[in-house]
Amino acid sequence: MFSRILIANRGEIALRIIRACQELGIETVAIYSEADKDAQYLKMANEAICIGPASPLESYLNIPRIISAAEIADVEAIHPGYGFLAENDHFAEVCQDCGITFIGPSAESMRQLGDKVEARKIAQKARVPVVPGSDGPLANDGEAIKMANKIGYPVILKAAAGGGGRGMRVVHSDISMRSAFASAQAESEAAFNNGTLFMEKYVLDPRHVEVQVMSDKAGNVLHFYERDCSIQRRHQKLIEEAPCPILDDKMREELCKAAIKVVKQTDYVGAATVEFLLDKNKKFYFIEVNTRIQVEHPVTEMVTGHDLIKWQLKVASGQILDIKQKDIKLIGSAIECRINAEDPARDFAPCPGKITKYIQPGGLGVRVDTHVYQDWMISPHYDSMIAKLITLQNTREESIATMVRALKEFKIEPVKTTIPVCLNILTHNLYLKNKVDTSFIEQHMS
Ligand code: MV4
């Protein structure tokens, strides 16, 4: 196992990684920007190094500064968390060149699976169902029109390098294809420096279900079941749960085995999330792979009893996954609500500022993952997440009841938060009846 690692991230995930390291006896080096200098979690690390001003480009996204800190602090490995550099293959390569272990997949695996056109091909090769669509990149709008007529409208244009819904356009007819193609391409070019587009049949109101996978360096690949992340608003997840409440054991096994098959096509090491769409007939289609630990990993930890950050650290250091698939059991129902400093009344505009009152919920079945405490200043420079509130109970109904109780206990002032929105969703009869899809918020919450 490593004896000392650097955490190239901030906030709750930096704290989450520090905690896992402490339990494994690993020393931690935290890095921080000037905006985060007072953060309490920095005192829990063995060392904390200021790497620059608040602006992410000059701190958490600045590869030379992070590598310098890693060399000065003499660490063996870097954990990237999520966001920032977590899926940057160039960063993974620089770490490798500097003799530092990147806690995650190789730059090569990241490139393969991070390109959605490549990932689609890999899934097809593994005989995992993909949405009907183009076999490769679309050369131009003329080719897009031909392809759309072959597949049948509606179709969706997606960016090969995409993420967060950027460079995505749903297209309903030939007439709108040319402008949709041009704007999706421009958006993708601007966001990812890559205008490559591909096409899929548009699946109407799907559920978003993703499988947690972990691989070691010996080629063992295990799954930790699935999460249902259908409750999203403009591609920002608000509530996630495990397991997906509409899958039976047979479908679950099929889905999880499909996820493993995709990952096994590459020399993958570390945590991966394989994303699927689930249509109205409960048929699943592979869409993409995330090559990082995700924000919502705690719901999986709660229902499996496995610490995924510890597994990341273990497999990155060369330890094998010394457990059997059948020994990973799914117990109970976990839900996560993302508590963001956003004003629901102002179209979820970020609401940075100092938190003067902060009272966190507790009790049986409640977990709070946060770096926040009273008098913490929510910076306008970063993501607006204040905390992740997670519940675990034996059944979905009980988990919802615990979540409602915990959300009401949570007091955060004076910043506006997503707590009232989460409460509205969790008490909506369609949510209680499992009748949700990715359009739930647009359809029922506006
Ligand atoms: C789709 C789709 C329908 N059909 N692909 C959005 C983000 C990206 N990860 C995939 N996304 C979608 N891909 C096909 N072929 C609908 C979405 C989608 C969506 C997916 C998951 C959660 C929320 C969503 C909201 C709008 C669209």
Side-chain angles (χ1 to χ4, degrees), residues 227-240:
R227 299 183 283 264
D228 188 318
C229 306
S230 300
I231 304 289
Q232 313 200 356
R233 185 189 167 275
R234 301 201 184 154
H235 307 294
Q236 293 288 94
K237 292 169 186 167
L238 257 179
I239 300 177
E240 303 96 350

Side-chain angles (χ1 to χ4, degrees), residues 321-338:
L321 282 159
D322 55 353
I323 47 169
K324 297 248 179 310
Q325 185 65 62
K326 68 168 175 44
D327 295 324
I328 304 176
K329 297 221 162 57
L330 183 57
I331 298 174
S333 162
I335 302 174
E336 172 178 282
C337 285
R338 297 196 194 183

